[in-house]
Amino acid sequence: MGQQKIRKAVFPVAGLGTRFLPATKAVPKEMLTVVDKPVIQYVVDEAAEAGIEHFVFVTGRGKGVIEDYFDIQFELEQMLRERNKNAELTLLADLLPTAGTASFTRQQVPLGLGHAVWCARDIVGNEPFAVLLPDMIMSSEKSCLKGMVEVYDKTGGNVLAVEECDPALAHKYGIVGVGDKVGEEGFKITQMIEKPAKGTAPSNFFINGRYILQPEIFKILETQERGAGNEIQLTDGMLALAKSQDFSAYHFKGETYDCGAKDGFILANLAFALKRDDIRPLIEGPLKAITSKL
Ligand code: UTP
């Protein structure tokens, strides 16, 4: 089926990051480092691997450094050139988005994820798009968004990435109901419930922070009432959209790290560092020594 290509991805980076204070008082959580790259770089790389051509950042107060990160640093690069630091120069050049492919808009007040996505409406326009929560980073052979695009190419409509959780913990997540299979890795979503009461969840598949949405979501979010936490919630918008449009799921089977939480961030650092041939030999032994003393 010829679906409209997913060209644009929205990264809502305007949250307050209160779970990570005091670090996030002056540094956005998206700029915290996992091994040697900021968290946001992992998420942008995931999007690029899935064929995204335009990266839309919804920023807020104190997040200007994210915009600087995706720009050239003239003085630094000049100095690296003078010192013949060619490998470092190439590294920076490789990470720079092509001119005109990164857009920044601002959510002046953090009114919620749904509101942040709505702030991107003019830049996204009338086409389906991806949303990637920039504090969730994933480790897998195939990028999570790439797997979602493969499901989307079969189904069209809206696609959410889901993972399995311990059924006893389903009440902590946004959970989906499971319908007909779509290929090997997808299924039709029959219902969505945000934090179902204990023992009532229709499955243990939770929404993990990656979305492909149709542009009709913007119209819904425009008038969306505040929901949980007194915030304009994306989930409420999706529930309204599901009344008129199909939602499908991509079953992601890699690892996800919530870098907006201290434990997820530390685990991400350990996991990504242990995967690196240049770092694993340096830390494996000391790590064992630390844990053996616990
Ligand atoms: P979170 O609830 O995880 O982020 O929102 P937060 O509000 O920054 O974190 P805590 O709970 O205070 O620690 C999920 C994503 O939505 C973005 C956040 O930046 C995060 O990436 N977000 C949330 C916005 O961009 N604007 C908002 O108003 C709320």
Side-chain angles (χ1 to χ4, degrees):
M1 222 189 292
Q3 311 295 349
Q4 194 173 355
K5 187 175 181 320
I6 307 298
R7 299 189 312 120
K8 297 181 181 174
V10 175
F11 304 87
V13 291
L16 294 177
T18 54
R19 283 172 294 159
F20 226 130
L21 282 168
T24 46
K25 185 178 170 192
V27 180
K29 62 178 169 181
E30 298 80 7
M31 291 304 293
L32 297 176
T33 311
V34 171
V35 187
D36 52 8
K37 287 187 291 189
V39 168
I40 188 78
Q41 183 70 58
Y42 289 84
V43 187
V44 164
D45 288 348
E46 178 189 333
E49 199 189 319
I52 294 298
E53 297 164 3
H54 196 119
F55 305 84
V56 183
F57 299 88
V58 181
T59 74
R61 198 191 62 81
K63 303 278 181 160
V65 65
I66 298 176
E67 198 163 341
D68 291 342
Y69 174 77
F70 288 107
D71 199 354
I72 60 161
Q73 293 286 352
F74 183 78
E75 287 90 353
L76 171 65
E77 287 165 29
Q78 178 75 9
M79 209 144 31
L80 291 174
R81 252 187 299 276
E82 283 165 14
R83 295 181 187 182
N84 287 322
K85 298 262 183 195
N86 294 323
E88 289 79 359
L89 275 167
T90 308
L91 177 73
L92 294 185
D94 286 349
L95 293 176
L96 197 68
T98 309
T101 63
S103 296
F104 298 84
T105 188
R106 219 158 156 108
Q107 183 193 31
Q108 290 92 343
V109 184
L111 294 176
L113 175 59
H115 183 262
V117 170
W118 179 72
C119 290
R121 66 198 178 283
D122 280 350
I123 302 174
V124 170
N126 191 28
E127 58 182 281
F129 63 103
V131 176
L132 294 94
L133 295 195
D135 45 5
M136 307 297 287
I137 65 174
M138 287 156 182
S139 170
S140 55
E141 254 175 47
K142 174 165 67 185
S143 100
C144 181
L145 187 60
K146 191 167 187 197
M148 294 169 70
V149 168
E150 288 170 7
V151 170
Y152 167 82
D153 285 341
K154 294 192 183 83
T155 60
N158 303 272
V159 179
L160 310 179
V162 297
E163 290 175 46
E164 288 185 89
C165 67
D166 176 349
L169 299 178
H171 61 280
K172 293 180 173 224
Y173 295 98
I175 299 286
V176 300
V178 181
D180 293 343
K181 274 184 89 164
V182 177
E184 283 306 302
E185 299 178 299
F187 58 83
K188 289 279 187 186
I189 291 177
T190 55
Q191 56 172 318
M192 292 182 265
I193 308 181
E194 185 62 28
K195 300 193 175 68
K198 272 189 185 176
T200 65
S203 78
N204 65 333
F205 284 103
F206 70 95
I207 302 168
N208 75 358
R210 299 288 187 264
Y211 314 78
I212 288 174
L213 297 170
Q214 294 295 319
E216 287 75 21
I217 191 81
F218 292 126
K219 197 91 204 130
I220 292 169
L221 290 171
E222 194 168 324
T223 52
Q224 184 73 55
E225 301 275 325
R226 291 182 189 227
N230 202 28
E231 291 191 341
I232 297 170
Q233 297 287 354
L234 183 61
T235 315
D236 293 339
M238 291 195 305
L239 282 170
L241 186 60
K243 289 183 183 147
S244 57
Q245 292 192 8
D246 278 353
F247 276 73
S248 305
Y250 164 63
H251 183 184
F252 176 67
K253 296 196 186 88
E255 281 89 47
T256 301
Y257 302 97
D258 178 1
C259 290
K262 290 164 200 172
D263 54 339
F265 174 75
I266 291 165
L267 283 172
N269 264 293
L270 289 171
F272 281 89
L274 286 167
K275 276 192 193 134
R276 289 258 300 253
D277 291 340
D278 57 335
I279 299 179
R280 191 181 51 254
L282 303 174
I283 63 170
E284 230 170 0
L287 256 180
K288 279 190 189 134
I290 292 169
T291 49
S292 72
K293 284 188 195 133
L294 294 176

